[in-house]
Structures are given as structure tokens and as C-alpha cells.
Amino acid sequence: MQWVHWKLPDFLAEFFGNWPYYLEVGLLLGPLWFLLYLFIISLLALPIIMKYKNGTWKIPIEKVTLPKLLLLIIPLALGSFFLNLYPEKSIIQFLLLFLFGYFLLSDDRIQKKLEDRRWPLFTSFLVITIIYLLMVVPGIGSTTTTATTSTLTISSLIVMFLLKLFENAIMWLGVLGVMGMGKHYMEFKNPKTLYLSAVSFPIYIFHIVWINLFAYYIINWIPNLMAIQVVLIMGLSFVFTIATIEVVRRIKGVRFLFGIKG
């Protein structure tokens, strides 16, 4: 489909007339899929959290070492195979992340361990991310045939699991590394951080509109200058996102819809 050549009424008619397809491929909700997942995961996690709070057994946080935290990559990789209600986004995987965050990463003792090992964690995250990109980026756009349930073999399942293990290692090391770095270098408050914290939700809502808009025009304007494209798209999108928030927050009947106070 060549969307760029469609007139807006034709595009809207196609988009909403064929909404189940666009929901399946991830275009209907856009970045708002995260809010839907967070709502579902919160409902699933609530009874587990309440059961834990009312129970007598507690996680021995003092025995949770960094190697044990790293082993959580395995359940994350296994969970990522199940309940992918949205393209390549598993309810089970995100539920596990939610629970790991609540029961483990929210504890100050765990955060201190991450802070102490911040550089090995963050460096490992960067290294395996670069390796992953070097492996994946050259194959983007190539014609490949993915395995289906009728053609799965033991070897293909092993390869799929190893790939999931690698992808979840990137994600989990990123979480641990960024938390460790943030604990050490970013644990402060000033007017700028307080402002950005207050508008973090509307930034999430509005940024995608401006990114898509500027990306469409800038990529066509300077097609062969990727570095400049990235700088312009990110810079302009941030400025216009903040400007949009400042406009919306002044409209009393609208701002509460986007979680904006005052």
C-alpha cells in the first residue's frame, strides 16, 4: 500500500474500515499499546501482589545477587513466546518485567548493587546491542522466509530460543545498566527535572505525532544524510512536543485527558 499517495479521507476510510487488520499489525494504537498492556498487566499482577503482602513469606533480598538477577533473562526469554497480543510484544514477558520491578528493582538494596556495578552492566548492554545491530541491520529489507508451526524443528526452536535469549539479554541488561547509572548520576532534582517529570505522560502521548511528521518530510528532503536526519527529527520533535504540552495545559477542559496538572 502506498499510503503517501492517498488523500486523507481515503486513508481514514481505509484505516477505520479495516481496523482489525491495523490493530493486528500494530498501527491502530501506535505507542498507546503500552497503556493497554500496562492496564492488563496491572490487573494480572494485583492479586499476586496482594497475596504476597498478606502472606508470611518474603523474598530474601539480601540473598539476591547480581548473577541471580542476570539469570532472570531466561524466564523473560521463555515468556516472550507466549500471549503476543500485539506484534512481538508478549503479555507474559511484560508481566514478568512488572513483577521483577515491583519485588526486586524497587528495593534500595538492589539499586545499590546495580549502582556499584553500573559500568560493567551498562557497557555490556552497549556491546551486545552493537553486536545485535551488526547482525540484524544488514538483513533489513531482504527477502526471508520465517518458520511456521508446520515447519518447526528442534534446531529451529533452539535457534528461536537463542535469539529470544539474546534480545532479552539486551533488554534486561539495559534496564539494570540504566538503573545503575541513573542511581549514581541522575538522582537529583532541579526545575528542569521536576518539569519533565510532571509532563512525562503527555510527552509520551504527543511525541510520536511530531516524530512521524518530521521524519516524513525530513527523510524526503535530505534522503542520504542519516546523521542530520536523526538530529533534526529528534530536536524538532522535542521542541514541538513541549510546545504542544504548553498549549494543551492551558485548556482547562482538555488538559486532564492527558494527565496534565495546573
Side-chain angles (χ1 to χ4, degrees):
M1 293 184 182
Q2 298 295 324
W3 285 11
V4 294
H5 299 305
W6 288 9
K7 294 180 180 178
L8 183 59
D10 296 333
F11 166 74
L12 293 176
E14 162 63 22
F15 191 73
F16 291 105
N18 197 17
W19 67 265
Y21 167 75
Y22 293 109
L23 178 63
E24 180 183 353
V25 300
L27 294 177
L28 186 61
L29 293 178
L32 298 183
W33 68 268
F34 179 76
L35 298 182
L36 175 61
Y37 265 48
L38 187 59
F39 176 72
I40 296 171
I41 289 166
S42 299
L43 293 179
L44 294 174
L46 183 60
I48 300 173
I49 293 171
M50 296 304 297
K51 181 72 173 178
Y52 180 80
K53 280 189 172 181
N54 297 328
T56 56
W57 180 83
K58 300 299 177 184
I59 296 173
I61 293 293
E62 66 281 357
K63 295 182 179 180
V64 179
T65 61
L66 189 59
K68 290 179 180 178
L69 282 176
L70 293 176
L71 286 175
L72 296 178
I73 294 168
I74 297 174
L76 287 171
L78 291 171
S80 63
F81 282 100
F82 304 102
L83 286 182
N84 284 269
L85 305 184
Y86 209 62
E88 297 300 319
K89 294 175 177 66
S90 163
I91 286 285
I92 301 300
Q93 179 193 38
F94 279 83
L95 174 62
L96 289 174
L97 284 170
F98 187 95
L99 294 174
F100 294 163
Y102 179 83
F103 289 112
L104 298 173
L105 302 187
S106 62
D107 191 279
D108 289 337
R109 290 166 290 180
I110 297 293
Q111 293 180 21
K112 183 63 171 65
K113 292 177 182 180
L114 298 181
E115 182 182 11
D116 292 340
R117 297 290 184 268
R118 61 189 180 277
W119 280 110
L121 287 169
F122 192 71
T123 302
S124 299
F125 160 65
L126 291 179
V127 168
I128 63 173
T129 299
I130 292 170
I131 293 172
Y132 181 79
L133 291 174
L134 291 174
M135 293 168 53
V136 171
V137 170
I140 294 177
S142 62
T143 305
T144 57
T145 304
T146 56
T148 62
T149 53
S150 60
T151 61
L152 287 178
T153 63
I154 297 297
S155 59
S156 66
L157 286 173
I158 293 174
V159 170
M160 288 171 61
F161 175 71
L162 291 176
L163 182 59
K164 288 290 187 182
L165 202 62
F166 194 20
E167 292 173 347
N168 281 273
I170 295 173
M171 176 184 65
W172 190 234
L173 279 170
V175 170
L176 300 182
V178 169
M179 282 194 66
M181 298 294 277
K183 178 73 174 176
H184 190 79
Y185 296 109
M186 299 295 294
E187 202 168 59
F188 61 86
K189 293 180 180 179
N190 60 37
K192 293 184 179 64
T193 60
L194 291 172
Y195 173 81
L196 291 174
S197 176
V199 299
S200 58
F201 182 68
I203 285 176
Y204 170 74
I205 298 295
F206 294 132
H207 82 284
I208 194 65
V209 176
W210 292 113
I211 285 178
N212 285 329
L213 181 65
F214 286 118
Y216 173 76
Y217 285 105
I218 290 172
I219 290 173
N220 283 286
W221 176 40
I222 44 175
N224 299 317
L225 300 173
M226 182 178 293
I228 297 177
Q229 289 173 1
V230 171
V231 171
L232 286 175
I233 292 169
M234 292 182 64
L236 289 170
S237 299
F238 180 77
V239 170
F240 276 77
T241 297
I242 297 299
T244 304
I245 292 169
E246 288 302 310
V247 171
V248 171
R249 76 186 306 171
R250 287 165 171 75
I251 306 174
K252 293 183 179 180
V254 175
R255 65 189 181 202
F256 79 95
L257 295 174
F258 301 97
I260 302 175
K261 297 180 180 179

